Amino acid sequence: IRRNPSGPFLLGRIEVNVTAEMPPAPGAELLAASEMSRFGAVTVREALAQAPGVTISTVGARNEGVIYIRGFDMRQTPVYLDGIPVSVPYDGYIDLNRLMIYDLAEVQVAKGYSSVTYGPNTLGGAVNLITRKPSKRLESDLKLSYGSGEAWGGFAGLGARLSRFYFDAGAAGSGRSFFPLSSDFIPNALQPAGRRLNSSQRDAGGKLKAGFTPRPGYEYAFGYSRQESRKDQPPYAGSDPNVRIRYWKWPLWKKESFYHAGETPLGSRAYLRARLYLDRFANRLDSFDDATYSTQRRPSAFISLQNDQSYGGSLETGGVMAGRHALKAAFFFKDDTHREGNLGEPRRSSRAQTVALGLEDTVRLAAGFVLAAGLGADHFDVRSAQNYQNGVISPFPVSGLWSVKPQLALTKKIAESSTSFISLARKSRLPTLKDRYSYRMGRSIPNPWLKQETADHLEAGIYHSFTPRNRLEAAGFYSRVRNLMQEFYLAPNVSQIQNLGRASHHGLEISFRSSAIPRLFMETQYVFLNRRNISRPEIPLLQSPRHRGRFAAALRLPRGILLAGETQ
């Protein structure tokens, strides 16, 4: 607390042990605020690059910042903020370059095995961003940053904690005028040397959280956050003649959230936790004729408007029974509505509801063993979906589906300084509205009957502390994926998303951290990841390297100066 007066907002955590005697979830990572900011990270995407098994990338026609956890993309690894889903309902993605870390206290990263209390769609894991909560009577925070490409960032925060109340408010902004190209880049007709064309961006946001703690163990918090962004999208600068160059700008990217989180003790050894939220997302995409970004006369030019809304919540209860069992039960509900249409066209909409149930029992056995058993069930139900062809709106077929997810984890405390674990989990990812109903700009045929993806995860690992200042973490994992959603080409330029894919992911993660030398912190990571496309071996699975290493060091100098560097 002396180093970081603002601690984590505990109601925002998802994987919370009912009793401190139970071990943490196998394979989970926890990044504290000091770790995330140590190496100059500004966005969530940059901060997550520090976690073993996480690969960052910028992908897609929208040029979004994303992550891959052991090769699984963000539709398969949802992102939460204080336990509340923040992914865009229509396609399951969120641009992590838009989310800043200034007001985060910690980040939970679940890989493979994860508690059923996370809810649906955790096929490859999950990420939970936990905001801070003031712990002093009055505290303030001011951060500024500057980088190449005329990049800047800033945050101002103010918090207070009284006997029964607390509040935390903050405003942040960041921007970049251009993306500087490497001196090794060879200029071509599409991209000159120096500055990447059409690569500026601006972000501004604010949040407010107020809490009430009437008695010990009771806590009720209300929060509001809003972020508006503008970004330009660099055009294609490669040599493939089959790629159609897009001249795109995003003058509006807006996200607004209202939420409540509360916890009520049920006696001395049980609790009831509730979350409610309303999330709104809107964006505008302008497509231009050419690199002047001034005219929209060609058939490829348009102004696309999108508006999404989600509301829902969760209830979780847990407690200790017979001194050995820590039981949890959770219920989730989420209602998603998507509206879209180009300027001048009629607006069409689609709506889906997701319900999830979860039961989990963690029991202490003899000889230092702890067994965690969980069972989850998810239901996805499309309530309505509108088709738009030749100027006419008509209904799409709709359907629902169920997914069942059992899992087991066995943890063994070998000694005071060592813990080993093995886990087996079946996870799933339900299709999004875009997976089922998008024409993908005329390149795809919708598939209203698309099913869920499933994966079976096997993982074993060990945590060992040689001394209180030297810690080793190692894990080996194997995942078998079925019903992977892949493009199937019905004609040379027309495809459909179908459940055709089978794949395997296996690998090894090793991380060693040391602060044995006074004022010096060092970390070394190595990750091996082998992904196989079993159903279509001729098509490699990209975006995640087979070998990844990272070395980082930070030296704390006198007068509060920190000298830090990393290489990957």
Side-chain angles (χ1 to χ4, degrees):
I1 293 177
R2 189 180 302 113
R3 289 185 178 181
N4 181 21
S6 297
F9 177 52
L10 298 181
L11 290 183
R13 286 180 175 172
I14 293 180
E15 293 197 54
V16 179
N17 292 329
V18 179
T19 168
E21 297 174 354
M22 300 301 182
E29 296 285 340
L30 186 66
L31 298 175
S34 57
E35 296 177 281
M36 291 186 286
S37 61
R38 180 182 285 148
F39 299 101
V42 174
T43 67
V44 169
R45 171 181 170 270
E46 295 168 344
L48 287 171
Q50 301 176 33
V54 178
T55 303
I56 65 172
S57 185
T58 303
V59 301
R62 298 180 301 198
N63 198 41
E64 293 182 326
V66 299
I67 61 168
Y68 294 83
I69 298 180
R70 292 178 177 173
F72 294 98
D73 67 29
M74 289 182 56
R75 295 168 303 168
Q76 302 161 326
T77 55
V79 178
Y80 301 84
L81 179 63
D82 287 336
I84 293 172
V86 298
S87 303
V88 177
Y90 180 54
D91 60 11
Y93 283 104
I94 185 71
D95 187 353
L96 295 181
N97 286 332
R98 310 273 70 79
L99 303 182
M100 292 171 278
I101 69 167
Y102 293 122
D103 65 335
L104 297 183
E106 62 186 25
V107 174
Q108 293 174 315
V109 181
K111 297 178 287 189
Y113 178 95
S114 61
S115 172
V116 295
T117 55
Y118 271 102
N121 296 321
T122 57
L123 182 135
V127 174
N128 187 25
L129 314 174
I130 302 168
T131 59
R132 64 183 189 178
K133 186 175 79 171
S135 56
K136 298 176 68 175
R137 186 171 183 84
L138 184 66
E139 57 188 58
S140 60
D141 194 9
L142 179 65
K143 298 178 181 178
L144 298 172
S145 65
Y146 187 81
S148 59
E150 299 177 5
W152 58 272
F155 171 77
L158 180 66
R161 184 174 182 87
L162 306 176
S163 59
R164 295 184 180 181
F165 299 91
Y166 64 84
F167 83 89
D168 189 39
S174 68
R176 184 183 67 198
S177 297
F178 61 91
F179 182 85
L181 294 173
S182 166
S183 58
D184 296 329
F185 174 75
I186 301 175
N188 56 43
L190 299 175
Q191 173 63 59
R195 301 183 176 188
R196 187 73 168 99
L197 298 176
N198 200 48
S199 60
S200 69
Q201 62 184 46
R202 293 289 186 273
D203 296 277
K207 57 95 178 180
L208 174 66
K209 179 168 59 190
F212 175 50
T213 55
R215 285 186 289 171
Y218 294 78
E219 184 174 354
Y220 308 96
F222 300 86
Y224 171 76
S225 65
R226 180 187 179 98
Q227 180 167 345
E228 293 193 17
S229 305
R230 175 187 65 79
K231 67 174 183 177
D232 299 333
Q233 181 159 321
Y236 177 74
S239 57
D240 187 347
N242 297 316
V243 174
R244 178 169 63 87
I245 302 177
R246 297 182 173 98
Y247 301 101
W248 285 2
K249 286 180 177 287
W250 303 80
L252 175 65
W253 188 99
K254 182 172 70 173
K255 196 172 191 305
E256 187 177 39
S257 300
F258 304 81
Y259 69 91
H260 161 69
E263 182 167 312
T264 303
L266 303 176
S268 61
R269 310 196 73 181
Y271 69 93
L272 175 65
R273 176 172 291 186
R275 295 186 180 97
L276 299 172
Y277 63 90
L278 171 63
D279 198 58
R280 295 170 177 164
F281 172 77
N283 69 36
R284 170 177 166 168
L285 167 62
D286 292 359
S287 177
F288 294 89
D289 296 332
D290 51 41
T292 64
Y293 298 93
S294 59
T295 60
Q296 294 178 298
R297 301 189 183 96
R298 296 180 180 178
S300 60
F302 58 85
I303 296 177
S304 173
L305 303 173
Q306 179 175 321
N307 188 291
D308 288 8
Q309 177 178 289
S310 288
Y311 68 86
S314 64
L315 286 174
E316 178 186 334
T317 184
V320 178
M321 294 184 62
R324 303 173 57 204
H325 295 266
L327 300 173
K328 294 181 184 178
F331 169 78
F332 306 84
F333 174 78
K334 189 169 186 280
D335 186 292
D336 300 322
T337 300
H338 170 75
R339 302 179 182 91
E340 67 173 17
N342 291 346
L343 192 65
E345 296 178 351
R347 302 291 296 276
R348 51 268 190 196
S349 67
S350 52
R351 181 184 175 203
Q353 292 181 343
T354 305
V355 175
L357 303 170
L359 295 172
E360 191 171 80
D361 182 19
T362 304
V363 55
R364 288 188 292 113
L365 305 175
F369 285 97
V370 175
L371 176 66
L375 179 65
D378 306 334
H379 180 60
F380 178 69
D381 184 23
V382 179
R383 306 308 299 268
S384 64
Q386 291 183 321
N387 187 14
Y388 179 69
Q389 287 289 292
N390 302 318
V392 177
I393 293 180
S394 59
F396 271 120
V398 296
S399 64
L401 55 89
W402 279 95
S403 174
V404 179
K405 308 172 302 182
Q407 61 183 39
L408 288 170
L410 185 64
T411 304
K412 164 66 174 174
K413 193 168 186 179
I414 303 173
E416 195 64 32
S417 59
S418 298
T419 301
S420 62
F421 68 87
I422 184 170
S423 66
L424 179 63
R426 169 165 292 181
K427 297 291 185 176
S428 66
R429 198 272 285 190
L430 304 168
T432 64
L433 291 168
K434 182 177 181 179
D435 290 331
R436 280 190 167 188
Y437 298 109
S438 176
Y439 283 96
R440 301 176 187 268
M441 295 187 173
R443 298 180 291 105
S444 183
I445 301 298
N447 183 359
W449 314 112
L450 200 62
K451 303 295 184 182
Q452 73 271 21
E453 300 173 335
T454 60
D456 293 324
H457 301 282
L458 175 63
E459 181 178 4
I462 187 170
Y463 307 133
H464 178 69
S465 297
F466 297 97
T467 69
R469 294 181 175 270
N470 293 283
R471 180 174 175 84
L472 173 70
E473 299 181 5
F477 57 89
Y478 177 83
S479 302
R480 186 88 169 188
V481 189
R482 297 185 304 278
N483 290 333
L484 195 65
M485 300 177 199
Q486 291 185 329
E487 286 185 318
F488 177 77
Y489 280 87
L490 307 172
N493 294 313
V494 180
S495 65
Q496 185 181 55
I497 304 297
Q498 298 184 4
N499 295 107
L500 298 175
R502 291 181 297 118
S504 67
H505 302 198
H506 67 270
L508 176 69
E509 296 172 359
I510 301 175
S511 174
F512 177 72
R513 299 181 180 185
S514 175
S515 56
I517 302 176
R519 296 180 176 268
L520 179 63
F521 167 83
M522 294 184 294
E523 181 177 14
T524 302
Q525 296 176 6
Y526 171 72
V527 178
F528 168 72
L529 173 62
N530 184 29
R531 301 171 65 203
R532 293 178 56 239
N533 191 339
I534 299 173
S535 55
R536 302 173 70 180
E538 72 279 6
I539 301 178
L541 300 175
L542 306 177
Q543 303 298 341
S544 49
R546 176 168 291 194
H547 301 276
R548 177 176 176 262
R550 177 177 180 266
F551 175 76
L555 178 63
R556 192 171 297 276
L557 303 176
R559 299 184 183 275
I561 298 174
L562 180 69
L563 181 63
E566 63 176 331
T567 182
Q568 296 193 42

